[in-house]
Amino acid sequence: MAESTAQQVMDIRAGLSHALGAAEEAVAAAREAYAAAITRRERVMAAAIARRKKVAETLDARVHEIDDRHRTDLAAFAEAAASAADRAAPGAAGDPWDDWQPTPFDKAAELRVGRLLLPHPEPVPALVPLLDHGHVVVRGDRDDRRIGDEVVAGLLLRALGTAAPGALTITGYDPEHLGGGLARFATLAPAGVLTFVGPGGLGALLNDLVDNVRRINETVLAGEYTSLRELAAATHRRPEPWRVAVLLGAGELSRQEQTQLQRLLRTGAAAGVHLIIQGMPVQQGPGIEFITANEGDHARISSAGALPVRLDPGPPQAVVAAACRRIAEAVEAGPAPVALDSLLPPELWKESSATGLTAPLGDSPLGVPVAVTLSDYPPHALIAGPSGTGKTNLIYAWMGALAARYSPAELAFYLLDFKEGVSFARFAPGRRDPSWLPHVRLVGLNVNTDREFGLALLRFLSEELRRRADAAKRYEVTNLAELRAEDPEGSWPRIVAVVDEFQVLLSGRDAVATEAVDLLEDLARRGRSQGIHLILASQDVSGIEALWGRPALVAQFSLRIALPRARRILAETNTAAESLQRYHAVVNADSGAAEANRIVRVPAAGDRERWNALQHRLWRMRPDEQGPPRLFDGDARPRLAESRDFRRLTYAEGQAPVVLLGETIDVAARSARTVLRRAPGRNLAVLGTRTEEACAVLATAARSLAAQFPPDGAAFSLLCLDQDARPAAEALRDSLPDSPRMFFADDADWLLEDAANEASATWPSDRPHFILIYAADALPGGKTAADQLRTILRQGPERRIHVLGWWRGAGLLRDALGGPSSRTDAIGAWVALDVHGSELTPYYPGATAPVWYPRPWRALHFDRSVHRGAEVIIPYGQ
């Protein structure tokens, strides 16, 4: 039993010992596992920390990259926005006030009101569209309009500065402050750019604006264009101004006013009618920009969404005053003209003048071309306007429009300018420009002292009228259109004669004025049917004495064109010209009756560069046979070498020699001549004291005679008895063939004795002998020399001896012929210089003296064998 217990104890002890060992092993293993777990935990935590650090570093790098890209994109966006804003609002539309001045543009620009507050230093302007786009509503504190008023003032000034003067008008409605909100713009009111509407006038104002929209849609856009902006882009002209109505508070609107306001908000912008509204309730809608006018950074514009805006301060008063003054002055001076190109057709020279001449003279206030016609009715035109109102420019425009439509075979111009100037010189070839207008057949310049040239033009036209009338009779027709149909191979262009300052031709009560009026009346009455049209221009027709008592003549000029402030050109009750702006005219085809008025805006046709471009195009198209026009310049001296008559002189056996004396004042530019036949009286006398002119006439005569003979075919003798004439006489001697002998006072008797003997001979000389005497009244030798000279004068021509002498007075020539009772037929031809007509009675047929008032470098020529009356000539210069 005891053994058994002990054994059990031993077993238990062995079991406990085994369990303890096992437990210790388990504890050791647990401790090892714990240590491994701690190590693993530490390793995991270290890895986690390293990963978190790496992620944080990567996140920071990415955030920095995103920030850098954001800053770069924001800078690019700001720069692009600023650049786009500069393009959308250049010059006056966006410049700051300290550097602001008007800069008109061809099209509307957006307008700056402040700047967008972007997180970038690059300033980006805040812009709102107005002109040609829509309307602007300014909202803010109703009790403090100050900020809103500054915004409105800035918008108005920028809009005014971007439009041409007069191209934008403002109407102000300010019932609370009675116009005080627009007082800074008051300078524009006298020029009509700004008008004020008083309290209670809102309804009428809205009605007027709606009527303007309706009129523009019906008559200007006329279904062809959807807006004035589209019309301006297509045609490069804007026939209507922008109309901006500024409505500064009105309280409650009536139903009618609200209806009209909504109509304008919907349709006004297309017709150039825009509203700037402050203090009125307006609902959001297309084309309406809302500006919330608050202090600091709390302002907004609807087109910028939630972006804050800092509004610009209002324009300084000095800037507003200076700009308004400049605009008002420009408007009062009148709008700048449109270009000459606006009158030109798509194709040149495509129209026929058979039934008349029609061309636009400019645009009407609605932008529609105003066509002017010359035909059977109206046949002729009167143009009047004070100096500086654009009379010459209007003539240029009319001529350019006609010349572009009708070829030289359809239209011929004859141009005459009586004022001292060269208005028509551009139509003839000159030193700088050899081109000419192919339609022009005659140009007369500086003819204010040569009224005879105007008379010559009327005589030429009268002869052309007779020629056409004779042709009409042959073909049994009554007008030009029928004649051209019956004679298509004939040359029957319509003729337009333009006479500027025509009253000079008709001034006074002398024979020139009398004949000119008679010719004018006949041409005006009968020329219409034969295609001859007259355009007479003058500063004022009230002083034309020659037209007094000739109402039938004035009545033929049913087409009247009045420039600004023109008087007595329209009917007495028609005062339309008094209020015209510069570059405008009243065109009236009913003799000035007020109901026939048409207002036309005339282009700037006087611009030489634009005119030359047109003239060169037409000149290059001219027919080969179309030569330059006849140019008469009253201030120029014609040259013998350039005379066609002189160049045609040749030797012809048995032909009587011809003496050329000067250029006649006529359309054909012919040379005045005297034929020295073998007949009594075939001598020439030059009368007057002007040495240079007398020597020029003698030199012309001698050179023209020399051109008709071989070197030894004629004899020339020069006798110079005036010391001042000696250089000219010697120069002539050196230019003649064989250098003829020259005589002076000390050997004059040799020449006279030989010539008198030759004149008294039975047989004529074997060759002509021409004796040129300078200052023949100073002949030495007393009675013997005088008798010898009379013998030569009376008997010499039949023996081919002719005297071409200069006497320094008509009375001195009479003394040389034998005194007051002697016959004067020994002098068959004479040229009078500074000798009055009354002194020429003894040498002129009949009992009356020729009408002659001497003037520099002009002479009166008479040849009793061919002339019924004397003719005015211009001595040839050397």
Side-chain angles (χ1 to χ4, degrees), residues 277-323:
I277 302 174
Q278 183 180 10
M280 290 186 187
V282 177
Q283 298 297 320
Q284 292 187 353
I288 305 176
E289 180 78 26
F290 288 86
I291 300 176
T292 303
N294 291 327
E295 293 277 5
D297 301 344
H298 303 290
R300 298 288 188 275
I301 59 175
S302 57
S303 58
L307 283 176
V309 175
R310 180 168 295 165
L311 297 174
D312 288 335
Q317 180 57 35
V319 174
V320 177

Side-chain angles (χ1 to χ4, degrees), residues 419-487:
K419 64 178 179 290
E420 295 183 5
V422 290
S423 299
F424 295 148
R426 63 175 60 187
F427 304 121
R431 291 189 300 273
R432 292 187 302 174
D433 186 356
S435 73
W436 65 86
L437 189 64
H439 308 71
V440 175
R441 310 295 172 83
L442 170 76
V443 176
L445 310 173
N446 299 307
V447 293
N448 53 308
T449 60
D450 290 307
R451 295 165 60 231
E452 295 88 355
F453 190 77
L455 186 59
L457 172 60
L458 296 181
R459 289 170 176 167
F460 170 82
L461 295 176
S462 182
E463 179 62 25
E464 176 64 18
L465 175 61
R466 185 196 60 76
R467 185 179 75 89
R468 295 185 175 206
D470 290 344
K473 290 178 182 178
R474 289 197 305 272
Y475 286 100
E476 298 181 348
V477 296
T478 59
N479 57 44
L480 184 67
E482 296 174 353
L483 175 60
R484 290 180 54 164
E486 293 294 328
D487 182 23

Side-chain angles (χ1 to χ4, degrees), residues 617-639:
R617 288 175 62 191
L618 301 179
W619 182 65
R620 289 190 292 270
M621 295 170 59
R622 73 191 188 280
D624 294 337
E625 68 276 7
Q626 191 71 49
R630 150 80 158 125
L631 175 61
F632 176 86
D633 186 350
D635 286 349
R637 297 181 182 179
R639 299 179 61 84

Side-chain angles (χ1 to χ4, degrees), residues 190-270:
V193 179
L194 172 64
T195 56
F196 291 98
V197 175
L202 178 61
L205 168 60
L206 296 176
N207 290 339
D208 288 344
L209 294 175
V210 169
D211 285 343
N212 271 306
V213 174
R214 177 190 53 77
R215 177 185 57 80
I216 291 170
N217 284 327
E218 291 178 358
T219 63
V220 179
L221 302 179
E224 188 174 357
Y225 302 99
T226 61
S227 66
L228 288 177
R229 177 177 61 179
E230 183 181 321
L231 183 151
T235 64
H236 303 289
R237 58 183 177 84
R238 190 177 183 91
E240 292 284 334
W242 286 290
R243 294 175 172 87
V244 177
V246 184
L247 310 180
L248 301 179
E252 292 295 329
L253 302 183
S254 68
R255 179 176 298 180
Q256 171 68 15
E257 291 170 346
Q258 187 66 41
T259 300
Q260 297 293 66
L261 178 62
Q262 292 303 318
R263 286 172 175 164
L264 291 173
L265 290 173
R266 290 194 310 271
T267 64

